[in-house]
């Protein structure tokens, strides 16, 4: 060592200027250094912010404005075979078919309709059977054939459900028509029952005065009318079995009386006359009751009514708006977090941190602070925007702020963890996109959580967005406090991801700089 | 080479091994307080790795490293506050202004906002970035980025400064100014370890370590280094051209002369290699005075540039001989051989 340097070795130890600062404030100053740095960096990247914010917002706005409901529009043609027109009222068919499907037309040309289906000009061809009435009267159940050409399982489910509903409606229409017709025939039977009862009254009071030929003619008419009514299926009401039994019994009574009249021993059948007369009286009452009912009540005795405790449901755009807000918060937080640590590493700033008196925890917490403030401001702006679109906000803003905070922390945790395990910013972006994709599928954003099996639902619950959507809906649309599960789940995700991100960042910081 | 416990940096037989033979090997050096230690060597010679070893970024795979009395991997925050570090590459934020970058680093070291203001102004003046305080990092030229990095390393007024090629890409005038500031810092009692590829900057250092292929091949003062490279000191002698050969032969026979070289491009010019120029000059004059036909025009100690010293050292290292052998390339021809 030279004399000069020996001389200098004696100089008093230097106290760095920073030592003069109170040690107690230093951790806060370091923490705030990252806070200020992140805020400054973000505000210098307006394009990044716009792409993060406006990109998903525009897409979802388009969705909200353009989405017209979950039921697909399916083009259909109805094929009525030649000769079936007498059984099927085309106008009614077209009316019912048009309820669930977009009716392209009613035709008797089955092959032409199927060719259109194959060419993609139609989605469904409905082929109705011929001789419906005949088959029904033979006790058969003819089918309406729905032919389609689908690879989309959801559309297939819709076709089968809508086809079922259509056939139910057609059956109902047939029943209504039949019931009206039966009521007409019952009216005729009522008259004949009345005539018959009067004649039987006469027989009962003085049998000799009744003309046997006239009596037999009345018996024959009544037997035909009651037989036809029983066959026509009058028995469609609640008393059907009893009525059918009475009609069958009446037929037997009439046969006995007819036999007795023809053999000239009607006086021996006094008891049978009274029994028949009483049965006719009961039938008259029952038929009167049957005719008093409207065909609609007989065919559909039960109707449904609906009551929504919230008053009324919202339109689709309003319903999806809170989900969109939650998705934006998660997406921005995950993306910012994911790019954060990996960029420091690529830039080489980690090398400075390794030498400086700053801990990994301070780096991470400082970043949490900066990004949380930024996302808070963005959320406030978005809520104001939704208010301009008349999206309701019924809940407590403070509770909402708490929920946004937890959602942000949980999402940032996922982002930082991604950042800690990524080797490049493109890898970080890729993983962020994967989280976005998972969120759209599994968070209940589009598909209800109940549609997933239990193991897959665990993935849903691991996503902050799942709980964010539930909480946002509760606060904004119901004006209610989110459930305990929402708070607990978000808190747990935030805590676990913080620990994961810290461990990952620590490992990265300790890793040798390349 | 000293290895006393008063050394601010003490490295003993330390290795940092990467894939293959890359890294540093058997590094042994110490840096005394209040000195400037320059690490000089070609690109890839292990300078940056050595600095990272001493700052705790790389752990040694063998050997011991002590900086400010502590093992670098276990530096406490208080120890870290005493260290300033300027990495080789620009590691600051392209989307922050010069002032924001400085403020950020100042905050990292715990400097309060009001306390740091004057300091930041001083540093901006020092690195001549006062007019660029609102310029974004990405808009700075390479030289400006180096200056900003240096300002960040000095922002907390550290006791020990590691500067990895602080003058790379900086114009000569500012380079001179920075070295002047480094020397002021040293005079205040601070210790600096500076790496550089500008061999001439060795002259500003108190001690210089020459690195090659991951090994520290020589540590000495700049003067000692020059002497080692040249195998002694050189006297530049100009005589009348007609007697230049006679003068050379005469001097070559003297016991205090190690060698004599003649420069054909400059008739009458001789380079005389001796152990100590101050002792050899009077003896040389005495010998030449005894030969009146030889007229001495000028005689002075010759200090070749450090670039030449460095090249000589590298050539010696290539030849596997670190003993003093005259190898100065400025002399094109041996005038007198035995």
């Amino acid at each position: 060592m030279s004399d000069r340097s020996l001389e200098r070795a004696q100089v008093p130890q230097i106290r760095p200027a920073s030592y003069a600062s109170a040690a107690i404030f230093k951790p806060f100053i370091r923490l705030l250094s990252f806070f200020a740095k992140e805020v400054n960096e973000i505000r210098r990247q307006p394009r990044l912010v716009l792409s993060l914010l406006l990109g998903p917002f525009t897409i979802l706005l388009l969705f909200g404005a353009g989405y017209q409901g979950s039921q697909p529009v399916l083009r259909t043609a109805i094929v009525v075979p030649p000769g079936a027109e007498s059984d099927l009222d085309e106008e009614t068919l077209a009316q019912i078919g048009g309820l669930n499907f977009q009716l392209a037309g009613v035709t008797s040309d089955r092959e032409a309709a199927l060719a259109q289906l194959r060419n993609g000009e139609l989605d469904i061809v409905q082929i109705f059977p011929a001789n419906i009435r005949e088959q029904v009267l033979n006790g058969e159940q003819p089918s309406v054939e729905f032919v389609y050409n689908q690879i989309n399982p959801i559309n297939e489910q819709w076709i089968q459900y809508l086809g079922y509903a259509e056939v139910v409606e057609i059956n109902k229409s047939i029943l209504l028509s039949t019931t009206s017709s039966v009521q007409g025939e019952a009216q005729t039977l009522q008259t004949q029952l009345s005539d018959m009862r009067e004649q039987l009254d006469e027989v009962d009071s003085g049998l000799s005065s009744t003309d046997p030929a006239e009596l037999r003619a009345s018996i024959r008419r009544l037997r035909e009318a009651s037989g036809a009514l029983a066959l026509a299926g009058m028995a469609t009401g609640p008393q059907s079995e009893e009525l059918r039994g009475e009609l069958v019994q009446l037929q037997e009574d009439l046969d006995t009386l007819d036999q007795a009249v023809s053999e000239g021993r009607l006086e021996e059948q006094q008891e049978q006359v009274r029994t028949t007369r009483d049965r006719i009286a009961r039938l008259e009452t029952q038929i009167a009751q049957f005719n008093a009912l409207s065909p609609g009540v007989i065919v559909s005795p039960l109707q449904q009514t609906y009551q929504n405790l919230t008053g009324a449901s919202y339109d689709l755009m309003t319903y999806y708006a809170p989900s969109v807000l939650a998705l934006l918060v998660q997406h921005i937080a995950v993306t910012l977090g994911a790019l954060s640590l990996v960029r420091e590493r690529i830039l080489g700033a980690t090398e400075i941190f390794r030498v400086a008196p700053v801990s990994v925890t301070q780096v991470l917490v400082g970043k949490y602070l900066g990004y949380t403030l930024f996302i808070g401001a963005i959320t406030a702006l978005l809520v104001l925007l939704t208010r301009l679109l008349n999206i309701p906000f019924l809940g407590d803003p403070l509770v909402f702020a708490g929920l946004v905070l937890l959602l942000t922390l949980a999402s940032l945790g996922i982002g930082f963890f991604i950042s800690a395990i990524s080797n490049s910013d493109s890898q970080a972006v890729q993983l962020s996109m994967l989280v976005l994709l998972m969120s759209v599928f599994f968070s209940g954003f589009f598909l209800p959580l109940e549609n997933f099996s239990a193991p897959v639902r665990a993935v849903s619950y691991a996503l902050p967005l799942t709980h964010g959507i539930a909480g946002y809906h509760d606060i904004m649309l119901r004006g209610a406090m989110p459930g305990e599960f929402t708070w607990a789940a978000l808190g747990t995700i935030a805590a676990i991801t913080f620990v994961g991100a810290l461990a990952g960042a620590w490992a990265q910081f300790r890793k040798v700089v390349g | 080479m000293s290895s006393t416990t008063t050394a601010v940096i003490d490295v003993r037989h330390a290795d940092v091994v990467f894939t293959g033979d890359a890294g540093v090997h058997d590094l042994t050096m110490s840096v005394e307080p209040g000195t400037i230690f320059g690490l000089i060597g070609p690109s890839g010679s292990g300078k940056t790795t050595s600095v990272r070893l001493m700052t705790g970024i790389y752990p040694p795979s063998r050997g011991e490293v002590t900086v400010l009395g502590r093992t670098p991997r276990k530096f406490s925050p208080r120890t870290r506050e005493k260290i300033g570090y300027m990495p080789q590459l620009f590691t600051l934020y392209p989307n922050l202004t010069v002032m924001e970058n400085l403020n950020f680093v100042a905050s990292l070291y715990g400097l309060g906002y009001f306390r740091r203001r004057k300091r930041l102004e001083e540093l901006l003046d020092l690195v001549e970035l006062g007019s660029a305080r609102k310029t974004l990092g990405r808009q700075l030229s390479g030289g400006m980025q180096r200056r900003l990095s240096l300002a960040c390393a000095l922002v907390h007024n550290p006791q020990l400064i590691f500067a990895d090629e602080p003058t790379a890409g900086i114009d000569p005038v500012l380079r001179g100014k920075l070295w002047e500031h480094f020397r002021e810092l040293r005079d205040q009692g601070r210790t600096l370890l500076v790496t550089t590829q500008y061999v001439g900057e060795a002259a500003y250092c108190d001690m210089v370590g020459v690195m090659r292929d991951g090994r520290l091949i020589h540590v000495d003062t700049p003067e000692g280094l020059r002497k080692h490279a040249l195998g002694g000191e050189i006297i530049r002698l100009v005589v009348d051209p007609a007697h230049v050969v006679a003068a050379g032969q005469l001097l070559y026979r003297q016991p205090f002369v190690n060698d004599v070289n003649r420069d054909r491009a400059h008739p009458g010019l001789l380079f005389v290699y001796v152990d100590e120029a101050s002792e050899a000059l009077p003896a040389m004059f005495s010998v030449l005075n005894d030969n009146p036909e030889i007229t001495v025009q000028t005689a002075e100690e010759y200090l070749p540039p450090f670039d030449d010293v460095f090249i000589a050292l590298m050539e010696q290292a290539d030849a596997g001989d670190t003993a003093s052998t005259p190898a100065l390339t400025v002399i094109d021809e041996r005038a007198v051989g035995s």
Side-chain angles (χ1 to χ4, degrees):
Chain A
M1 193 163 63
S2 67
D3 292 345
R4 195 174 52 178
S5 52
L6 271 173
E7 223 172 81
R8 280 185 210 108
Q10 310 305 317
V11 298
Q13 196 181 12
I14 307 294
R15 282 177 63 84
S18 60
Y19 269 24
S21 300
I24 195 168
F25 294 123
K26 285 181 181 174
F28 296 104
I29 293 172
R30 285 172 190 141
L31 210 67
L32 290 175
S33 69
F34 284 94
F35 169 77
K37 193 266 282 182
E38 299 303 344
V39 170
N40 280 330
E41 279 221 291
I42 290 172
R43 77 185 169 88
R44 290 272 158 63
Q45 300 177 77
R47 283 185 196 167
L48 171 73
V49 176
L50 280 179
S51 66
L52 279 175
L53 195 64
L54 281 188
F57 188 77
T58 309
I59 290 167
L60 293 164
L61 193 69
L62 275 176
F63 166 77
Y67 188 63
Q68 294 175 334
S70 55
Q71 183 181 330
V73 176
L74 299 163
R75 297 158 301 168
T76 188
I78 294 175
V79 178
V80 180
E85 294 87 354
S86 57
D87 295 335
L88 295 166
D89 174 6
E90 268 194 35
E91 195 182 331
T92 311
L93 270 183
Q95 194 183 350
I96 295 173
L99 287 177
N100 291 339
F101 302 102
Q102 190 183 70
L103 188 66
V106 181
T107 175
S108 59
D109 191 344
R110 172 193 173 111
E111 290 312 314
L114 289 174
Q116 277 187 295
L117 176 70
R118 285 190 206 97
N119 292 341
E121 294 164 29
L122 291 173
D123 298 305
I124 308 162
V125 173
Q126 303 178 30
I127 303 166
F128 280 79
N131 310 319
I132 295 175
R133 181 177 291 274
E134 191 183 317
Q135 289 186 60
V136 170
L137 291 176
N138 288 338
E140 293 170 20
Q141 206 174 8
S143 291
V144 180
E145 195 181 349
F146 287 81
V147 186
Y148 49 86
N149 186 13
Q150 285 287 339
I151 56 167
N152 183 339
I154 295 172
N155 274 3
E156 183 178 48
Q157 285 175 9
W158 271 109
I159 288 168
Q160 293 179 358
Y161 169 71
L162 295 173
Y164 166 78
E166 184 187 295
V167 170
V168 166
E169 279 301 312
I170 292 170
N171 282 339
K172 197 169 139 186
S173 166
I174 291 170
L175 282 174
L176 275 172
S177 158
T178 307
T179 306
S180 297
S181 162
V182 169
Q183 279 183 327
E185 288 175 22
Q187 190 59 49
T188 309
L189 178 65
Q190 181 95 357
T191 311
Q192 287 165 355
L193 283 171
S194 180
D195 289 348
M196 189 70 198
R197 184 173 44 78
E198 283 170 12
Q199 286 179 334
L200 289 178
D201 282 345
E202 286 173 19
V203 171
D204 191 29
S205 56
L207 292 174
S208 57
S209 65
T210 308
D211 178 9
E214 193 182 331
L215 184 59
R216 284 194 73 187
S218 289
I219 288 171
R220 204 164 38 250
R221 281 198 301 277
L222 182 58
R223 192 167 51 194
E224 280 171 11
S226 63
L229 194 65
L231 200 63
M234 186 187 83
T236 52
Q239 297 164 319
S240 58
E241 285 302 318
E242 191 185 345
L243 191 58
R244 189 181 290 120
E246 290 285 12
L247 285 169
V248 171
Q249 282 298 316
L250 178 65
Q251 296 264 307
E252 288 175 11
D253 292 347
L254 293 173
D255 287 345
T256 308
L257 289 176
D258 192 32
Q259 179 85 22
V261 173
S262 67
E263 292 172 0
R265 48 180 184 84
L266 189 58
E267 62 279 7
E268 293 172 16
Q269 294 293 329
Q270 192 69 22
E271 191 54 37
Q272 181 63 53
V273 168
R274 287 191 189 125
T275 305
T276 305
R277 193 187 57 195
D278 292 345
R279 194 183 308 285
I280 286 171
R282 282 200 301 279
L283 273 169
E284 277 183 298
T285 310
Q286 286 179 351
I287 287 169
Q289 284 175 350
F290 172 67
N291 277 350
L293 292 172
S294 81
V297 172
I298 294 168
V299 171
S300 301
L302 280 179
Q303 280 191 317
Q304 66 278 16
T305 57
Y306 303 100
Q307 187 187 7
N308 190 341
L309 291 179
T310 58
S313 67
Y314 296 102
D315 59 65
L316 282 171
M317 188 165 159
T318 304
Y319 176 74
Y320 278 111
S323 310
V324 172
L325 285 185
L327 179 69
L328 284 175
V329 167
Q330 183 191 278
H331 179 58
I332 293 172
V334 169
T335 309
L336 286 177
L339 289 173
S340 173
L341 292 173
V342 75
R343 278 200 172 156
E344 302 274 17
R345 201 163 54 250
I346 291 167
L347 194 65
T350 316
E351 196 174 341
I352 299 267
F353 302 157
R354 287 287 305 279
V355 181
V358 61
S359 69
V360 180
T361 312
Q362 284 169 334
V363 173
L364 204 59
V365 173
K367 284 175 178 292
Y368 265 104
L369 274 178
Y371 290 148
T372 302
L373 179 83
F374 170 72
I375 291 168
I378 290 286
T379 305
L381 190 70
L382 285 172
V383 169
L384 284 177
L385 269 176
T386 58
R387 297 294 295 138
L388 293 177
L389 294 171
N390 286 328
I391 307 294
F393 190 102
L394 306 175
D396 184 343
L398 277 179
V399 176
F400 184 71
L403 185 77
V404 172
L405 178 67
L406 267 185
L407 176 63
T408 305
L409 294 179
S411 307
L412 280 174
I414 289 177
F416 285 136
F417 183 72
I418 287 173
S419 204
I421 61 169
S422 298
N423 289 322
S424 64
D425 51 359
S426 59
Q427 197 180 346
V429 168
Q430 221 168 13
L431 288 172
S432 304
M433 287 298 132
L434 212 61
V435 172
L436 178 66
L437 201 62
M438 278 174 66
S439 300
V440 170
F441 271 109
F442 299 118
S443 66
F445 189 94
F446 285 124
L447 305 171
L449 296 183
E450 296 75 24
N451 286 9
F452 296 109
S453 62
V456 177
R457 222 177 297 160
V459 176
S460 302
Y461 291 137
L463 292 166
L465 184 62
T466 306
H467 313 290
I469 288 174
Y472 274 48
H473 273 154
D474 283 339
I475 297 171
M476 291 177 70
L477 301 186
R478 289 183 185 278
M481 174 74 100
E484 283 178 12
F485 181 69
T486 300
W487 296 108
L490 279 177
T492 307
I493 296 171
I496 289 173
T497 52
F498 175 76
V499 173
L502 195 60
W506 188 83
Q508 287 286 359
F509 271 48
R510 297 297 293 177
K511 210 190 253 183
V512 172
V513 177
Chain B
M1 197 183 307
S2 172
S3 60
T4 60
T5 51
T6 58
V8 174
I9 299 171
D10 190 22
V11 184
R12 292 170 191 239
H13 306 293
D15 288 351
V16 177
V17 182
F18 300 131
T19 318
D21 196 38
V24 294
H25 309 282
D26 199 25
L27 184 68
T28 297
M29 59 178 274
S30 67
V31 180
E32 298 302 319
T35 60
I36 299 175
F37 190 103
L39 266 184
I40 296 177
S43 177
S45 60
K47 302 186 297 292
T48 297
T49 304
S50 301
V51 170
R52 287 177 173 174
L53 172 73
M54 290 176 240
T55 50
I57 295 169
Y58 289 151
S61 44
R62 185 181 73 96
E64 287 176 18
V65 183
T66 310
V67 174
L68 294 168
R70 287 176 175 268
T71 305
R73 296 286 279 187
K74 294 177 181 171
F75 278 155
S76 66
R78 282 179 69 87
T79 306
R80 289 178 192 277
E81 283 176 358
K82 296 177 188 173
I83 296 172
Y85 176 47
M86 178 192 169
Q88 190 180 26
L89 299 173
F90 180 69
T91 57
L92 297 165
Y93 296 95
N95 289 320
L96 298 187
T97 63
V98 165
M99 203 59 176
E100 285 166 351
N101 267 302
L102 269 173
N103 265 309
F104 171 64
V105 178
S107 302
L108 283 185
Y109 283 90
L111 267 70
Y113 179 75
F114 295 106
R115 200 176 298 276
R116 82 179 76 135
R117 282 169 63 185
K118 193 181 165 197
R119 175 71 183 153
L120 297 192
E121 291 301 329
E122 287 170 2
L123 284 170
L124 285 175
D125 284 346
L126 170 73
V127 297
E128 295 181 359
L129 285 176
S131 58
R133 67 182 63 226
K134 289 181 180 172
T135 307
L136 293 178
R138 63 167 181 262
Q139 293 166 336
L140 298 174
S141 67
M144 290 165 99
Q145 288 181 345
R146 299 299 299 155
R147 278 140 65 189
L148 175 57
S149 291
L150 180 62
C152 288
L154 300 176
V155 73
H156 56 297
N157 214 3
Q159 183 179 344
L160 169 63
I161 298 153
F162 290 96
D164 197 358
E165 303 200 8
T167 53
I170 293 179
D171 67 80
V173 177
L174 186 58
R175 235 191 291 167
K177 192 179 167 188
L178 288 179
W179 275 105
E180 194 182 316
H181 184 69
F182 287 161
R183 291 166 82 96
E184 278 173 18
L185 289 170
R186 177 201 62 189
D187 292 343
Q188 290 166 10
R190 297 174 212 286
T191 309
L192 295 95
L193 190 141
V194 182
T195 74
T196 180
Q197 285 190 40
Y198 297 116
V199 178
E201 290 179 348
Y204 296 113
C205 303
D206 299 312
M207 292 292 283
V208 179
V210 179
M211 293 203 75
R212 188 171 185 278
D213 293 337
R215 293 180 189 278
L216 189 63
I217 57 172
H218 205 80
V219 179
D220 210 333
T221 59
E223 297 79 17
L225 211 61
R226 185 182 276 125
K227 207 169 171 179
H228 179 87
L230 307 177
E233 292 177 347
I234 303 174
I235 295 169
R236 187 176 183 276
L237 177 69
V238 181
V239 296
D240 57 304
H243 296 95
V244 67
V245 175
Q249 287 173 338
L250 177 65
L251 289 172
Y252 190 73
R253 285 195 293 270
Q254 304 307 313
F256 59 86
V257 173
N258 296 329
D259 203 356
V260 179
N261 283 356
R262 176 186 167 195
D263 186 349
R264 282 193 184 277
H266 299 89
L269 175 60
L270 287 171
F271 291 98
V272 183
Y273 292 80
V274 296
D275 288 336
E276 286 289 339
S278 56
E279 290 172 9
L281 268 171
M284 198 176 73
F285 276 120
S286 172
V287 169
L288 292 172
N289 285 340
D290 292 341
N291 293 272
E293 73 278 9
I294 301 171
T295 310
V296 177
Q297 293 176 357
T298 59
E300 60 189 2
E301 188 180 352
Y302 173 64
L303 296 174
F306 266 100
D307 294 78
D308 298 329
V309 173
F310 181 71
I311 290 166
L313 287 170
M314 290 293 124
E315 286 173 354
Q316 285 170 18
D318 279 341
D321 175 17
T322 54
S324 38
T325 305
L328 206 61
T329 53
V330 290
I331 299 166
D332 66 352
E333 189 184 336
R334 177 161 294 212
V336 181
S338 56

